[in-house]
Amino acid sequence: MKKFRRIGILTSGGDAPGMNPCYRAITRCILAGGAQAMGIRRGYKGLIDNDMKLLGDRDVSNIINIGGTALYSDRCKEFTTEEGMQKAIETCRENQIDGIIALGGDGTFRGARDLTDRGIPCIGIPCTIDNDISSTEYTIGFDTALNTVVQMVDRLRDTCESHARCDVVEVMGNGAGYLALYAGVSVGATAIITKEIPFDEERLMEKIIASKRAQKRNFIVVVSENMGKGFTEAIAPKIEAVTGVETRYARLAHVQRGGSPTHRDRMTATLMAHKAVELLYEGKSNLVICEHNGVIDSMDISFALDFDKFYKGKLTTEELDAMPADVRAQMQAMSDRRLSSFLDIYKINDIVSN
Ligand code: F6P
């Protein structure tokens, strides 16, 4: 078991409901293991600026039910430079921080990997409403955001039904269509449009026309922000022109990021927090905590970051060629599994929606 004096905790990148229960559980697990817990404010920016405080048990009371992050967050460009990184390491030394647990997405994990490489062992915990971190099946915040989207869209459906209208609703998701897919299924969307599935405009129009003929009055089309800027605004008037169904559009935006975390997010946050502290105390680092088939486990951060790029088609031909054949085959299999479960859900919605 590795001896730690002080373990830092930070939240970085976009906030997500569930960061607070995670922060709470990390703090208490660190204290239970005998080290001190240091709350670093404003993510990596606070690490550079020396903005932190030692935490007692009570400092994390009454936040389990609060959205956002009590540690505050930032997207810190300076930290991506060697100079910024060195300042952060200097702050760690000054404050006797000899390990860090970093909550966030891929950018946060890149920072954690770079710090680990320079002698500060780190572990990352996936927190984002987008569920777009390829190394894990679940990211903290996803369920809360989904429930918010479902509530909002149910309201839109009420008014669509009264007026026989269509509403095109754009949801977040960053580069991934998970929020759109899962919310779309749960609101009974006539169509779900995400970049993962080739968009068939003609089929969308035919489906709406056929359902209208069959006396359907409300139409919800869920669009992922991964379709790109302007897509939602452009498709709404087209639907109206082609189908004759009066159409509005709505972008739910940051309302999706707030709110009290759901049971699922509080539970996963607590279990992932416990796992992260346990692994750090065992002397393990450079890991990202993941969920696979309902089990909390971990993956090497560098592998997780490479896999994310692999899955999203962001690796260059040279990078792919340089990859050992067995690693490439492993990533291909993981990638196929991830995409096929996405496609399966999409197909089911196509059957059950009209
Ligand atoms: O990663 C979460 C997310 O909400 C994305 O879905 C969205 O694209 C982005 O953050 C918006 O970030 P911000 O407005 O905070 O820069």
Side-chain angles (χ1 to χ4, degrees):
M1 177 148 161
K2 186 169 157 49
K3 272 259 172 256
F4 284 92
R5 289 165 299 179
R6 282 185 187 159
I7 299 173
I9 311 156
L10 60 84
T11 54
S12 159
D15 62 352
M19 278 180 158
N20 280 333
C22 195
Y23 159 44
R24 163 188 178 270
I26 294 168
T27 304
R28 294 195 171 153
C29 290
I30 291 172
L31 296 176
Q36 291 181 317
M38 182 73 100
I40 301 161
R41 297 187 198 91
R42 297 181 292 121
Y44 292 118
K45 185 88 180 83
L47 197 57
I48 290 175
D49 295 348
N50 206 345
D51 184 6
M52 55 190 69
K53 73 164 201 162
L54 274 177
L55 301 166
D57 242 358
R58 300 264 65 83
D59 286 310
V60 289
S61 294
N62 298 320
I63 59 167
I64 196 166
N65 55 330
I66 311 286
T69 164
L71 280 175
Y72 311 135
S73 193
D74 210 330
R75 300 187 200 271
C76 179
K77 282 236 167 64
E78 195 185 350
F79 188 69
T80 58
T81 65
E82 190 53 42
E83 202 191 333
M85 180 71 59
Q86 288 308 327
K87 274 196 212 164
I89 289 169
E90 195 41 46
T91 321
C92 288
R93 303 251 148 84
E94 264 171 43
N95 291 282
Q96 303 186 318
I97 293 174
D98 41 18
I100 289 182
I101 299 183
L103 280 57
D106 286 330
T108 309
F109 300 156
R110 272 192 292 278
R113 178 201 54 197
D114 295 346
L115 278 176
T116 309
D117 285 348
R118 289 163 179 78
I120 313 286
C122 295
I123 293 194
I125 300 187
C127 296
T128 162
I129 64 162
D130 301 325
N131 205 32
D132 65 338
I133 299 175
S134 311
S135 52
T136 180
E137 288 168 6
Y138 190 79
T139 62
I140 296 165
F142 182 53
D143 186 63
T144 307
L146 270 177
N147 279 288
T148 304
V149 173
V150 168
Q151 268 190 24
M152 296 294 142
V153 177
D154 284 351
R155 288 166 193 225
L156 290 173
R157 174 199 279 267
D158 290 345
T159 159
C160 284
E161 178 69 15
S162 306
H163 292 270
R165 279 181 185 154
C166 173
D167 226 305
V168 182
V169 188
E170 184 182 302
V171 301
M172 282 186 169
N174 199 14
Y178 282 98
L179 261 181
L181 181 73
Y182 280 59
V185 171
S186 308
V187 300
T190 299
I192 299 167
I193 307 176
T194 82
K195 209 173 76 186
E196 288 86 340
I197 319 276
F199 174 50
D200 186 341
E201 190 175 315
E202 215 178 299
R203 177 150 157 59
L204 168 70
M205 302 301 176
E206 282 167 9
K207 198 171 176 188
I208 294 178
I209 291 167
S211 301
K212 185 183 158 193
R213 281 206 196 103
Q215 309 302 316
K216 185 172 170 68
R217 290 178 58 83
N218 72 75
F219 301 89
I220 298 292
V221 175
V222 178
V223 176
S224 170
E225 72 173 343
N226 77 1
M227 290 303 290
K229 250 193 166 51
F231 180 90
T232 307
E233 292 90 324
I235 197 71
K238 270 194 196 169
I239 293 174
E240 181 161 319
V242 176
T243 67
V245 177
E246 197 182 347
T247 303
R248 302 277 195 265
Y249 73 84
R251 179 171 295 119
L252 299 184
H254 291 76
V255 73
Q256 297 161 94
R257 287 246 294 259
S260 177
T262 57
H263 154 73
R264 164 63 146 132
D265 281 325
R266 297 181 199 196
M267 188 76 190
T268 307
T270 305
L271 298 183
M272 285 191 169
H274 178 262
K275 185 78 180 174
V277 177
E278 185 180 65
L279 287 168
L280 205 56
Y281 273 131
E282 281 171 12
K284 297 178 185 146
S285 63
N286 205 39
L287 295 170
V288 51
I289 306 299
C290 311
E291 183 184 298
H292 294 116
N293 295 321
V295 177
I296 306 296
D297 53 21
S298 63
M299 195 182 277
D300 177 82
I301 291 189
S302 306
F303 183 89
L305 289 171
D306 283 348
F307 175 58
D308 195 68
K309 281 178 150 183
F310 183 96
Y311 180 75
K312 292 173 182 162
K314 288 182 179 167
L315 287 177
T316 62
T317 321
E318 293 76 46
E319 284 170 321
L320 279 171
D321 289 345
M323 203 177 257
D326 57 330
V327 175
R328 193 166 169 174
Q330 186 188 359
M331 287 198 183
Q332 190 59 57
M334 287 165 63
S335 183
D336 292 347
R337 260 201 311 278
R338 192 168 170 92
L339 190 61
S340 95
S341 70
F342 191 99
L343 291 178
D344 287 349
I345 296 172
Y346 182 85
K347 282 183 204 147
I348 292 169
N349 191 63
D350 207 34
I351 298 168
V352 302
S353 67
N354 58 28

